[in-house]
Amino acid sequence: MAAKVYIIIYTMYHHIYKLALEVQKGLEASGVEAKIFQVPETLSEELLEKLHAPPKPDVPVITVDDLKEADGFLFGIPTRFGTMPAQIKSFLDATGGLWSSGALAGKFAGTFFSTASQHGGQETTAFTTVTYFAHHGIIYVPFGFANAHLFDNSEVIGGSAYGAGTVTNGDGSRQPSEKELEIAQTQGKNFGNVIKTYKAGSGN
């Protein structure tokens, strides 16, 4: 049976969704089954309209129980003041039942990000998300510097050792660059290889 990874995102202006599509390509290239989900929205339609948010991407909304079905998760997180937004936190906060039963222990997780600026907290968002993984017994898989674009200082490039990323500008006008998209695809492929190797070794 093929390993299964869920890409779980929150995306208001679709920057994270665009990275997620590349992550999915990388996962599938590694031979892993990959599916994109979005977490439930916590903002009202009225407020989203005032924020000029486009329609949500056409991907299913995940439930807490869905997490039990996957071998691993890649969380796409837009940063809010150096940590995860309320929508992601609300979803993770609802996993207490899974924690009490140990349902997610031994699964794998990784992270990728978007921030308005180069110093908007992509790494601190990773740090503050890892606490959830630790309490669940989920194994965190950092990205490392697995793509050469992370060493490129000739232009703005999001991402770090903790995962792929994009820099959006405060108004969301900057879209993920080709290099950022390539980094996301590499992360998906590498994460998929980790999951696949584990599955093969465990005999699952």
Side-chain angles (χ1 to χ4, degrees):
M1 181 184 297
K4 183 184 296 185
V5 173
Y6 288 168
I7 306 162
I8 303 168
I9 66 172
Y10 177 70
T11 189
M12 182 175 287
Y13 299 109
H14 293 204
H15 296 83
I16 285 288
Y17 178 55
K18 290 175 181 177
L19 291 181
L21 291 171
E22 298 303 313
V23 167
Q24 184 179 38
K25 290 178 186 177
L27 285 165
E28 291 174 345
S30 75
V32 169
E33 180 184 339
K35 188 173 182 179
I36 301 174
F37 291 88
Q38 57 189 325
V39 298
E41 180 59 83
T42 61
L43 300 178
S44 67
E45 289 297 330
E46 180 182 6
L47 185 52
L48 289 170
E49 185 176 342
K50 288 181 179 178
L51 292 169
H52 306 291
K56 295 291 183 187
D58 185 21
V59 298
V61 175
I62 196 165
T63 68
V64 167
D65 283 342
D66 289 332
L67 296 175
K68 294 184 288 187
E69 301 172 5
D71 300 295
F73 321 102
L74 278 164
F75 286 88
I77 309 172
T79 296
R80 298 290 184 270
F81 300 103
T83 187
M84 70 185 74
Q87 293 83 355
I88 296 280
K89 188 175 190 304
S90 177
F91 176 74
L92 292 174
D93 282 345
T95 60
L98 299 181
W99 167 79
S100 65
S101 66
L104 304 184
K107 296 181 185 290
F108 294 81
T111 46
F112 59 99
F113 315 95
S114 67
T115 50
S117 68
Q118 294 180 76
H119 309 291
Q122 294 189 13
E123 293 188 7
T124 57
T125 300
F127 300 159
T128 50
T129 305
V130 165
T131 59
Y132 283 91
F133 304 152
H135 279 259
H136 276 288
I138 295 171
I139 302 160
Y140 180 63
V141 181
F143 180 47
F145 285 82
N147 186 295
H149 293 321
L150 289 173
F151 295 99
D152 185 352
N153 292 315
S154 67
E155 61 183 273
V156 173
I157 299 174
S160 71
Y162 300 91
T166 187
V167 178
T168 69
N169 288 337
D171 60 359
S173 60
R174 183 181 181 274
Q175 297 301 310
S177 69
E178 287 301 316
K179 291 179 180 179
E180 290 170 339
L181 294 174
E182 288 178 22
I183 291 168
Q185 191 169 147
T186 301
Q187 184 178 6
K189 186 174 182 180
N190 289 5
F191 188 84
N193 286 333
V194 168
I195 301 293
K196 194 169 61 172
T197 300
Y198 172 78
K199 290 276 285 186
S202 67
N204 290 337

